[in-house]
């Protein structure tokens, strides 16, 4: 006790949140360019000043610790400012998906219950105003891109007090909220803490070789954790973030050339469009691509030079564990290992660790893991077991300790007392050289609840019969997991992004009788 | 409140201490070699098992949260094991300087008050037993290298329960204690937390390009934070740490060859000895040095390849801020910037930030900073100002935001109401091209308390007179800082490590009347 008191003076020394990072950047990299967005161009010192003013604005609107700030708009440097200002006052900031329908916005307003909404007039003004009127017409809405008759962001910033006096925040508390696909039927906002954001930013900074001379093209959606982490990594390194409101291939080419950007997050189809436009080398994009034909690039994290992470891209991630944080970069055979500050294990339904080679749920632990979903007490209780976060995804460990991602746990087949994960059976069947594509479903059975059925698209020339595939699984999986029925198909129905549409497969091939999960 | 409860399940998910790192390494890198020490060779899984047993031993000896474990011996892999086992039970571990005299050991035993002492018999057995008998003959002493009639480390490990069940520890709490030179006349143990050790290890891992194929030669003293951080960085990356009890140049050559080590911490004189022995290329040391003549190396952190940190070595550090954590690696003109998770500012005596260009004390903040000195309530209170740690060192900020280390603040001259730091005046004089060496002292003055006097060793051929040097300072410093008196000398008295012996300079040139600091 005496000793505890002896150390008391140092209790105030250790906090370091996203607001402290900004303060330090303004101090040790004052004149470097932090933000480029259209005609806007701000140094770290200027960003610090603007963010202090915005934090004052938020505080004047009653935003305090744990209160929420919602962004309803496209990409903008003001998303970053809003995140940093929320960090200063201890609030939680959510960049919403600007493609949401009115119904989805209404759901998020009710669910997230923001004290301040930062909204965009251009392109999405009508839908935003409609949502406000239907929710609470008298709530605090601040228009970020200027709109007559409305409360406007730049007006408030210009007149706000640039004080730096804010109470310290608890850095283990949530700062960023990202809505993710719901496992219980409706999306939930995963809450990431200051600590998670800062550690993952550093991981990305190091892994992608970002330095203070780097420039990052923020063209991917900022409601995606990977895009935001790229921006924060660049911010932390002292580099420049160049923002575009939405993806326009020609605009991307222009900005890569004019700002000599070095990093980006661009989807493959956009790269194809950029290549078509630039086939005659109209734009000099050599800061990211090796030639005008843009033949040499890496996606989704485009990276011109070499870096440890990019020389071994891939791995496993989810928003709830801070993004892509179980990575091949960490070594191991054809699989991933957790980043520093993350633990992962493969466990059974009770959270007990499984032996090497067995498929089970990936559990995660450490400061990178989210603080839970906003406003989802039951889901949060269900997703923690013995101090570990259930990812709802399946993995398996190799002898060298690295982890293979097997597939989502969401769809489960129940046969007798056994749980069978289609992803695991599909992964096994894909190792058969006669299989081009496969979907494993459960079909109702009066005795066993369900039987395992595999719908297989054979490779051209394959003469294999059902028994060949069943035997293949018998040798590699616990016997109860092997398909009882195999049916061949010419192709499987697929949805957006090329993912097999399981509902349609069920419908076409007699699937049903699934157990309730969660 | 409702929302706070909603997130409650996740409160148990985020802790990540040094014990968790070990547990994760055993899980995701089970078979890689973690430790090499003479005939001992352990994988991460084996280290995990041994550390669990040692933690049980410590617990059986009554070691719990905040209790201390003292190491009295030379370098050994068991220093690392003791640190990891202390992490498991929440204790604080101190690797003492094995060259300490009986009096110094007696001081540390009284001051640190360890519940368990891990001690070495070889070379230092007699002095250790003497210290025990003079302190508390019935205290818990465990001999690490085997000694008849004593409680022995390996016997206890072999029979202890290998349980993994330990209560979670608070990772912001102290884990490592390192005695540093005291500013108040006696040394104090700086306490570093789990968080500080883990973040700095990662910084070192990245900066030195350590991967799971790296091997680190732990030949520098493990009571030095830089050496320990090298070992922890290697441990975190999944590489091998090769321990030697003490520095023997031939043994170092042998182990570099046999273990193909890639990193080391070797003092320049030792490198010279190694080079002499290896002049005919007897040992293949190409894993660290580019040729047998060992011509191409970097010190103190020897690094064969290139890495961001090593391509710009240097910076500012002290044990109290986790080691070398304001680094040139972070960019800026001929100076350093803080590592991620560290803030630094230049401040006056009241902790108020000074403008760019002015010399003041370097203050630091963030999780890298120590938790205070053990058992030094008054010093701890004195060293914290407005939530910042006073480093007792002087620095100055350049226009680009990077920091120049000026010198220690400890020696201060008082002239009227002004505080003058010799280091700052010396730094100014060293920019004069007639100065080969310089020491600035305070000499007693009846009116002003002290006057500033510079003892200058001129460069060969310099014809400059006293007024030239005084004028040089007048143009560059506040006028009260310039020397009033200049005296020339042939050489300055120097102590161990080549540092100017200020006491001898004072004695020879009339110094005295210094104000009391602290």
């Amino acid at each position: 006790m005496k000793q505890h008191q002896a150390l008391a003076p140092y209790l105030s020394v250790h906090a370091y949140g996203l607001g402290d990072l900004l303060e330090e950047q303004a101090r040790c990299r004052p004149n470097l360019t932090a933000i480029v967005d259209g005609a806007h161009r701000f140094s770290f010192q200027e960003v610090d000043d603007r963010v202090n003013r915005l934090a004052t604005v938020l505080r004047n609107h009653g935003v305090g610790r744990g209160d929420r700030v919602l962004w309803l708009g496209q990409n903008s440097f003001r998303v970053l400012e809003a995140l940093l200002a929320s960090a200063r006052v201890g609030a939680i900031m959510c960049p919403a998906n600007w493609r949401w329908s009115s119904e989805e916005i209404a759901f998020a307003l009710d669910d997230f219950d923001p004290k301040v909404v930062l909204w965009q007039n251009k392109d999405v003004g009508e839908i935003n105003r409609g949502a406000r009127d239907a929710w609470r017409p008298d709530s605090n809405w601040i228009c970020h891109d200027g709109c007559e008759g409305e409360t406007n962001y730049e007006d408030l910033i210009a007149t706000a007090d640039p004080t730096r006096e804010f109470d310290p925040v608890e850095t283990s508390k949530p700062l960023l909220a990202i809505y993710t696909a719901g496992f219980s039927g409706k999306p939930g906002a995963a809450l990431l803490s200051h600590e998670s954001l800062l550690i993952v930013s550093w991981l990305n900074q190091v892994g992608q070789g970002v330095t203070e001379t780097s420039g990052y093209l923020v063209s991917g959606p900022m409601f995606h954790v990977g895009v935001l982490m790229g921006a924060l990594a660049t911010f932390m390194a002292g580099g420049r973030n160049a923002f575009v409101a939405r993806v326009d291939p020609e605009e991307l080419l222009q900005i890569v050339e004019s700002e000599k950007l070095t990093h980006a997050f661009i989807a493959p189809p956009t790269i194809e469009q950029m290549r078509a436009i630039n086939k005659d080398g109209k734009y000099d994009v050599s800061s990211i691509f090796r030639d005008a034909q843009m033949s040499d690039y890496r996606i989704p994290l485009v990276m011109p030079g070499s870096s440890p992470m990019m020389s071994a891209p891939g791995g496993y991630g989810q928003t709830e564990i801070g993004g892509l944080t179980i990575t091949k970069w960490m070594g191991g055979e054809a699989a991933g290992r957790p980043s520093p500050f993350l633990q992962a294990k493969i466990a059974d339904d009770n959270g007990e660790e499984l032996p090497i080679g067995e498929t089970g749920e990936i559990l995660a632990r450490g400061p990178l893991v989210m603080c839970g979903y906003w406003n989802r007490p039951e889901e949060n209780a269900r997703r923690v077991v013995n101090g570990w976060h259930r990812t709802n995804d399946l993995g398996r460990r190799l002898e060298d300790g690295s982890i293979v991602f097997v597939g989502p746990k969401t769809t489960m087949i129940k046969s007798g007392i056994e749980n069978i994960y289609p992803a695991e059976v599909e992964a096994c069947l894909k190792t058969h050289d006669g299989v081009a594509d496969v979907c494993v479903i459960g079909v109702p059975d009066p005795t066993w609840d369900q039987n395992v059925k595999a719908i297989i698209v054979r490779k051209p020339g394959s003469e294999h019969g059902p028994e060949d595939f069943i035997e293949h699984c018998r040798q590699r999986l616990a016997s109860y997991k092997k398909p009882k029925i195999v049916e061949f198909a010419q192709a499987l129905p697929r949805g957006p992004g090329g993912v097999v549409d399981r509902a349609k497969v069920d419908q076409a091939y007699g699937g049903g009788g699934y157990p309730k999960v969660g």
Side-chain angles (χ1 to χ4, degrees), chain A residues 37 60 74 83 94 119 159 161 167 169 194 236 262 268 461 479:
Chain A
D37 190 343
N60 292 345
Q74 296 166 330
L83 184 67
C94 175
W119 64 285
T159 56
D161 181 9
D167 292 334
V169 301
H194 290 256
M236 185 184 239
T262 57
S479 178

Side-chain angles (χ1 to χ4, degrees), chain A residues 335-417:
Chain A
R337 287 196 175 117
S339 307
F341 296 90
L342 188 69
Q343 290 185 275
K345 69 180 175 189
I346 308 298
D348 66 16
D349 285 348
N350 301 317
E352 294 299 322
E353 192 158 8
L354 290 169
I356 284 175
E358 287 195 26
T359 296
E361 186 171 359
I362 302 172
L363 307 187
R365 217 177 155 269
L368 303 194
V369 177
M370 68 166 179
C371 307
Y373 296 103
W374 174 256
N375 197 24
R376 299 283 183 281
E378 285 164 26
E379 177 72 359
N380 290 339
R382 199 184 74 73
R383 294 292 288 278
V384 174
V385 55
N386 306 331
W388 291 73
H389 160 73
R390 298 180 190 267
T391 62
N392 251 333
D393 282 321
L394 297 173
R396 159 170 69 81
R397 197 179 289 279
L398 301 186
E399 288 288 340
D400 70 356
S402 57
I403 292 172
V404 182
F405 169 58
V406 172
K409 192 187 170 189
T410 319
T411 310
M412 194 173 83
I413 299 170
K414 193 95 185 172
S415 184
I417 57 160

Side-chain angles (χ1 to χ4, degrees), chain A residues 183-472:
Chain A
F183 294 100
S184 46
K186 55 181 181 176
L191 301 175
L192 295 169
S193 69
H194 290 256
E195 285 171 9
S196 175
L197 293 179
L198 286 165
I199 295 175
V200 176
S201 298
W202 195 15
L203 178 75
N204 278 275
Q205 177 187 333
V206 168
Q208 298 170 43
V210 181
T211 70
E212 68 181 35
T213 61
S214 300
Y216 178 65
L217 177 58
V218 192
S219 59
M222 293 184 77
F223 50 81
H224 185 295
V225 72
V227 175
L228 255 181
M229 289 302 182
L232 286 178
T234 307
F235 190 83
M236 185 184 239
R240 330 182 279 303
N241 278 297
F243 297 80
V244 292
R246 49 181 304 180
V247 173
D248 174 285
E250 182 121 20
E251 190 190 346
L252 298 193
L253 286 163
Q254 283 165 356
I255 198 166
V256 166
E257 176 181 77
S258 63
E259 296 294 335
K260 295 192 173 34
L261 302 179
T262 57
H263 295 68
F265 191 111
I266 316 177
T270 307
I271 299 245
E272 289 308 317
Q273 293 174 303
M274 291 166 73
R275 182 177 291 143
I277 295 170
N278 206 39
K279 62 181 188 297
D280 299 325
K282 182 175 167 194
Y283 298 100
D284 174 3
V285 291
S286 59
S287 56
I288 291 191
F289 303 95
R290 288 208 203 279
D291 52 31
Q293 286 67 48
M294 299 166 44
S295 56
D296 194 3
Y297 63 89
R298 294 174 193 278
I299 46 164
L301 296 151
V302 177
M303 177 63 207
S306 65
S307 77
M309 188 190 259
M310 285 303 102
S311 64
Y316 165 77
Q318 60 173 202
T319 301
E320 290 85 342
I321 64 169
L324 189 78
T325 50
I326 297 182
T327 67
K328 293 190 183 180
W329 176 36
M330 299 294 153
E333 212 179 298
R337 287 196 175 117
S339 307
F341 296 90
L342 188 69
Q343 290 185 275
K345 69 180 175 189
I346 308 298
D348 66 16
D349 285 348
N350 301 317
E352 294 299 322
E353 192 158 8
L354 290 169
I356 284 175
E358 287 195 26
T359 296
E361 186 171 359
I362 302 172
L363 307 187
R365 217 177 155 269
L368 303 194
V369 177
M370 68 166 179
C371 307
Y373 296 103
W374 174 256
N375 197 24
R376 299 283 183 281
E378 285 164 26
E379 177 72 359
N380 290 339
R382 199 184 74 73
R383 294 292 288 278
V384 174
V385 55
N386 306 331
W388 291 73
H389 160 73
R390 298 180 190 267
T391 62
N392 251 333
D393 282 321
L394 297 173
R396 159 170 69 81
R397 197 179 289 279
L398 301 186
E399 288 288 340
D400 70 356
S402 57
I403 292 172
V404 182
F405 169 58
V406 172
K409 192 187 170 189
T410 319
T411 310
M412 194 173 83
I413 299 170
K414 193 95 185 172
S415 184
I417 57 160
E418 303 291 1
N419 296 337
I420 299 160
Y421 299 105
E424 186 182 7
V425 185
E426 288 161 5
C428 175
L429 283 165
K430 279 175 186 165
T431 65
H432 189 292
D433 60 11
V435 173
D437 202 0
V438 59
C439 181
V440 168
I441 61 175
V443 291
D445 180 276
T447 309
W448 302 104
D449 289 334
Q450 288 189 297
N451 282 326
V452 178
K453 178 172 178 178
I455 322 303
I456 294 176
V457 180
R458 281 178 295 187
K459 280 192 182 156
S462 160
E463 301 283 333
H464 299 94
E467 196 50 46
D468 295 322
F469 297 111
I470 294 169
E471 183 57 28
H472 180 81

